[in-house]
């Protein structure tokens, strides 16, 4: 009897713990206005919600003149009622929290590339304008809070150089500091801490949430005073992917989101998820406030005849982004169903050229992730190398989250998962795989 009671207590605790983990789902409403199979409508979105603890609705931006927060797709978000339609889904999924996110690398404004920094540097009136408008958007459309996917300057991409030049370059870097992207990062760090405190104070009376998304390649050491910041955040999500991309690193291909460091060649020690997580843990951020962010898409490079035949990363002499996928319509980016369709299957086994299947190379060590490739042909054409997350590797990262008692896992974003079930028939297979291992 006693044993049974203990056992059920343990099971109960286990279940409570299992269900306590966050599964944070990013939703970019711009996926609603895509053409073709990549178009994600509200009924598709709804299927995911049974798995998500939080939905991060992206993206709002900053008006460069008034510093007010505003929708980047007014037609859709406001006039077609997508804001209210999505927050209304909370009635059906009462466990779900829906947050409005600002930035997310989607607020691209060539005429005001530094507006996020200007907001921090500026007079208080700019920040007040941001805070009041954010509050009223969140409030009037029924969001549970605000997420700051704050667009800080990104790390410079690592340079490609010959092995001989390598040592000298490393040495020189120490003195020239050519990795510095922001001379005033210390100041911005302080200003951001104060800014977050003010946003928090504005949201507190209504018990609204405030979260932070650290975008890919934003250096946490430069911009976040973690001990001073975390008390004002409900959680922080580290977008630990896109460490290399074909846009940033056109000449070399490598794992885009390795879990651990691969000790060889010219890799930088902070370009892996574990380093980023450990950095935040080391700065006294409670583990349960950290979510590990993973991408549901792969990054694809064009291979040349000089890239060789083995596919083994780091792959040299690549030629920038591979052609865009039919659905995602972005060069060098393939959604998971697009990657899946290129892996060997009965319907592509005999196809040639640009339709020939890629060779899949899985990762039995579970440390770096999978990749797939097709060497360039005799004419130097149709070469492709893609690093991607699949349901297995997502489950593996969920297991990592679990073993480190982190807050949870976050998926970027729902529209790149296989929401139609084209790959195996399962809808949202990456999301599901993550959920069942958390
Ligand atoms: C920030 O950049 C520096 C210099 O490149 C690097 O040493 C450090 O590890 C980076 N911090 C994080 C958290 O990635």
């Amino acid at each position: 009897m006693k044993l049974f009671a203990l056992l059920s207590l343990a099971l109960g605790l286990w279940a409570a713990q299992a269900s306590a983990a966050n599964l944070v789902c990013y939703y970019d409403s711009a996926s609603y206005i895509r053409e073709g199979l990549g178009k994600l409508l509200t009924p598709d979105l709804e299927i995911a919600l049974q798995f998500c603890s939080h939905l991060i609705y992206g993206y709002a931006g900053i008006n460069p003149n008034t510093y007010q927060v505003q929708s980047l797709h007014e037609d859709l978000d406001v006039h077609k009622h997508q804001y209210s339609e999505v927050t209304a889904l909370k009635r059906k999924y009462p466990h779900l929290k829906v947050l409005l996110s600002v930035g997310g690398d989607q607020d691209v404004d060539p005429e005001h590339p530094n507006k996020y920094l200007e907001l921090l540097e500026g007079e208080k009136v700019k920040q007040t304008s941001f805070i009041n408008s954010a509050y009223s958007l969140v409030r009037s459309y029924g969001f549970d809070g605000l997420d700051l996917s704050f667009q800080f300057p990104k790390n410079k991409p690592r340079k490609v150089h010959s092995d001989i030049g390598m040592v000298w370059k490393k040495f020189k870097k120490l003195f020239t500091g050519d990795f510095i992207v922001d001379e005033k990062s210390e100041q911005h760090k302080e200003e951001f801490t104060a800014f977050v405190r003010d946003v928090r104070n504005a949201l507190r009376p209504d018990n609204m949430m405030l979260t932070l998304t650290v975008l890919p390649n934003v250096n946490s050491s430069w911009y976040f005073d973690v001990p001073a910041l975390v008390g004002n955040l409900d959680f922080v999500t580290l977008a630990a992917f896109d460490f290399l991309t074909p846009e940033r690193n056109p000449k070399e291909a490598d794992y885009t989101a390795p879990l651990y460091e691969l000790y060889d060649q010219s890799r930088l020690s902070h370009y892996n998820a574990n380093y980023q997580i450990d950095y935040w843990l080391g700065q006294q951020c409670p583990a349960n406030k950290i979510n590990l962010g993973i991408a549901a898409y792969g990054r694809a490079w064009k291979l040349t005849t000089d890239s060789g035949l083995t596919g083994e990363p780091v792959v040299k002499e690549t030629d920038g982004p591979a052609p865009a996928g039919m659905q995602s319509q972005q060069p060098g980016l393939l959604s998971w169903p697009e990657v899946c369709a290129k892996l060997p299957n009965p319907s592509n086994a005999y196809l040639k050229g640009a339709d020939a299947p890629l060779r899949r190379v899985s990762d039995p060590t579970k440390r770096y992730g999978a990749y797939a490739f097709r060497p360039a042909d005799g004419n130097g054409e149709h070469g492709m190398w893609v690093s991607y997350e699949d349901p297995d590797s997502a489950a593996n990262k969920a297991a990592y989250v679990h073993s480190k008692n982190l807050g949870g896992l976050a998926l970027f974003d729902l529209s790149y998962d296989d929401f139609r079930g084209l790959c195996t028939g399962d809808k949202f297979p990456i999301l599901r795989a993550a959920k069942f291992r958390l």
Side-chain angles (χ1 to χ4, degrees), residues 155 179 218-222 268-271 275-276 279-280:
N155 291 331
F179 54 80
V218 168
N219 189 317
S220 292
S221 326
W222 297 342
L268 296 174
S269 58
H270 52 295
Y271 281 10
Y275 182 98
Q276 298 301 322
Y279 178 79
W280 278 76

Side-chain angles (χ1 to χ4, degrees), residues 307-367:
S307 307
L309 300 173
T310 70
E312 197 181 314
V314 179
V315 186
K316 295 188 197 318
E317 303 291 339
T318 53
D319 183 21
M326 287 272 283
Q327 300 170 33
S328 50
Q329 299 160 7
Q330 271 188 66
L333 187 148
L334 298 173
S335 65
W336 164 239
E338 288 174 324
V339 172
C340 174
K342 290 180 186 300
L343 298 176
N345 67 58
S347 69
N348 65 16
Y350 300 102
L351 298 181
K352 297 265 179 281
D355 299 319
L358 306 186
R359 193 182 321 156
R360 182 211 299 253
V361 181
S362 59
D363 171 24
T365 70
K366 302 188 175 181
R367 293 175 68 87

Side-chain angles (χ1 to χ4, degrees), residues 22-305:
N22 299 327
L23 186 47
V24 180
C25 299
Y26 281 74
Y27 164 63
D28 184 352
S29 70
S31 57
Y32 193 106
I33 41 191
R34 269 184 215 140
E35 302 288 321
L37 291 174
K39 186 186 185 77
L40 178 121
L41 300 175
T42 312
D44 305 314
L45 176 66
E46 223 191 296
I47 298 170
L49 298 185
Q50 55 187 307
F51 304 112
C52 308
S53 59
H54 301 79
L55 188 76
I56 309 278
Y57 189 119
Y59 285 93
I62 300 179
N63 180 310
N65 304 311
T66 63
Y67 290 89
Q68 286 183 323
V69 176
Q70 61 187 19
S71 160
L72 294 176
H73 301 280
E74 285 243 312
D75 265 3
L76 171 67
D77 295 332
V78 178
H79 301 138
K80 278 182 89 178
H81 309 296
Q82 192 62 1
Y83 277 165
S84 5
E85 212 173 293
V86 169
T87 56
L89 290 169
K90 290 192 292 171
R91 269 178 243 135
K92 232 164 141 183
Y93 303 90
H95 67 279
L96 185 73
K97 301 270 181 243
V98 185
L99 287 88
L100 178 65
S101 185
V102 184
D105 287 335
Q106 303 294 315
D107 186 14
V108 184
D109 187 345
E111 282 174 24
H112 305 93
N114 293 320
K115 62 184 179 181
Y116 283 78
L117 297 180
E118 284 153 17
L119 169 68
L120 298 180
E121 292 168 355
E123 320 86 79
K124 265 279 190 276
V125 60
K126 289 182 183 170
Q127 293 157 30
T128 308
S129 166
F130 178 102
I131 292 171
N132 291 345
S133 55
Y135 173 83
S136 89
L137 269 184
V138 165
R139 186 75 217 246
S140 44
Y141 291 100
F143 290 100
D144 296 291
L146 186 70
D147 173 68
L148 301 171
S149 289
F150 212 83
Q151 296 182 181
F152 284 108
K154 290 177 182 283
N155 291 331
K156 285 185 185 165
R158 112 187 152 184
K159 289 213 185 74
V160 178
H161 21 63
S162 68
D163 292 340
I164 313 154
M166 196 59 205
V167 179
W168 167 242
K169 277 269 170 56
K170 260 190 184 157
F171 176 72
K172 214 169 66 175
K173 244 183 199 169
L174 282 175
F175 297 96
T176 61
D178 78 347
F179 54 80
I180 291 179
V181 295
D182 178 4
E183 298 283 348
K184 292 194 281 183
S185 63
E186 270 305 313
Q187 176 197 326
H188 293 141
K189 184 195 278 193
E190 272 177 40
E191 289 164 343
F192 188 69
T193 307
F195 173 69
V196 166
R197 192 191 51 224
D198 293 346
V199 180
R200 183 62 167 190
N201 286 337
L203 300 182
R204 186 172 282 130
D206 297 76
N207 240 334
M208 288 175 182
M209 296 180 69
L210 179 61
T211 61
L212 170 68
T213 301
V214 179
L215 293 173
N217 296 304
V218 168
N219 189 317
S220 292
S221 326
W222 297 342
Y223 290 112
F224 306 116
D225 181 351
V226 177
L229 206 55
V230 288
N232 286 321
L233 296 170
D234 289 285
F235 58 62
V236 50
T237 299
L238 306 181
F241 51 84
D242 284 351
F243 291 109
L244 275 82
T245 70
E247 285 78 20
R248 287 168 54 85
N249 314 81
K251 295 289 173 206
E252 56 174 356
D254 200 1
Y255 297 109
T256 55
L259 187 48
Y260 292 102
E261 181 176 3
L262 220 158
Y263 302 94
D264 68 340
Q265 307 189 51
S266 52
R267 291 185 174 94
L268 296 174
S269 58
H270 52 295
Y271 281 10
N272 57 84
N274 184 58
Y275 182 98
Q276 298 301 322
I277 298 288
D278 278 351
Y279 178 79
W280 278 76
L281 290 173
Q283 296 285 312
Q284 322 306 326
C285 184
N288 65 8
K289 281 198 177 185
I290 304 175
N291 302 317
L292 170 61
I294 66 170
Y297 55 79
R299 290 290 189 179
W301 281 256
K302 215 184 281 174
L303 295 182
T304 66
T305 24

